[in-house]
């Protein structure tokens, strides 16, 4: 017999609390890692580089994996079933969340900002070739 149940289940709380941490890690990655894969100076000719494509592929893969891990308690409903499932998954999602959180909050943000500052400084202080200002038909 199929019984439709809805209400308060521990799995809902686990999913939504974990989702907050996932959102925080995503925000930190977008604000501190993503700029390293983009041109150092906006408008530069590096758009569509292979590094940016690799970043996008890795981000899509990580998002898919973490979403599947985070949604498991919501679908299972109980804490016991969640624990069993996460044990079989070797708690990979908790490492995907805890690792970056530890990195960013234990000094990684400052380190990445320093790298980005050096990239921007190098890109803006590079010697600029003078542009040839005459048009092809002006007789020069």
């Amino acid at each position: 017999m199929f019984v439709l149940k809805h209400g308060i289940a521990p799995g809902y709380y686990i999913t939504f609390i974990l989702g907050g941490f996932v959102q925080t890690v995503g925000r930190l990655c977008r604000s501190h890692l993503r700029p390293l894969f983009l041109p150092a100076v906006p408008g530069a000719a590096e758009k569509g580089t292979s590094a940016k494509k690799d970043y996008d592929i890795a981000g899509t893969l990580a998002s898919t994996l973490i979403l599947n891990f985070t949604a498991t308690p919501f679908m299972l409903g109980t804490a016991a079933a969640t624990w069993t499932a996460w044990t079989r998954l070797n708690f990979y999602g908790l490492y995907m969340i805890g690792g970056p959180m530890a990195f960013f909050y234990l000094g990684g943000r400052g380190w990445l900002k320093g790298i980005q500052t050096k990239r921007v400084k190098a890109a803006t202080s590079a010697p600029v070739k003078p542009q040839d200002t005459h048009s092809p038909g002006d007789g020069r």
Side-chain angles (χ1 to χ4, degrees), residues 39-40 49 58 64 67 75 89 101 108 112 140:
T49 63
T64 302
L67 177 63
M75 293 181 286
L89 294 171
M101 292 275 288
L112 292 172
R140 285 196 224 179

Side-chain angles (χ1 to χ4, degrees), residues 5-82:
K5 292 193 234 179
H6 193 289
I8 299 171
Y12 300 160
Y13 292 101
I14 295 169
T15 294
F16 292 122
I17 290 170
L18 191 58
F21 289 105
V22 170
Q23 195 171 31
T24 299
V25 169
R27 179 184 47 82
L28 289 167
C29 288
R30 281 187 301 279
S31 63
H32 298 292
L33 282 178
R34 187 172 185 267
L36 300 176
F37 295 93
L38 296 173
V41 178
E46 297 178 34
K47 290 183 180 176
T49 63
S50 66
K52 174 64 168 70
K53 290 177 186 173
D54 293 343
Y55 171 84
D56 290 341
I57 291 168
T60 301
L61 178 62
S63 295
T64 302
L65 288 171
I66 201 65
L67 177 63
N68 287 329
F69 185 86
T70 304
T72 300
F74 190 87
M75 293 181 286
L76 296 176
T78 66
T82 297

Side-chain angles (χ1 to χ4, degrees), residues 82-96:
T82 297
W83 185 261
T84 301
W86 282 1
T87 301
R88 291 178 183 168
L89 294 171
N90 294 318
F91 300 98
Y92 78 84
L94 299 181
Y95 296 114
M96 287 179 71

Side-chain angles (χ1 to χ4, degrees), residues 40-41 115-127:
V41 178
I115 292 172
Q116 180 63 3
T117 301
K118 288 178 186 175
R119 286 182 70 230
V120 170
K121 188 181 241 184
T124 56
S125 66

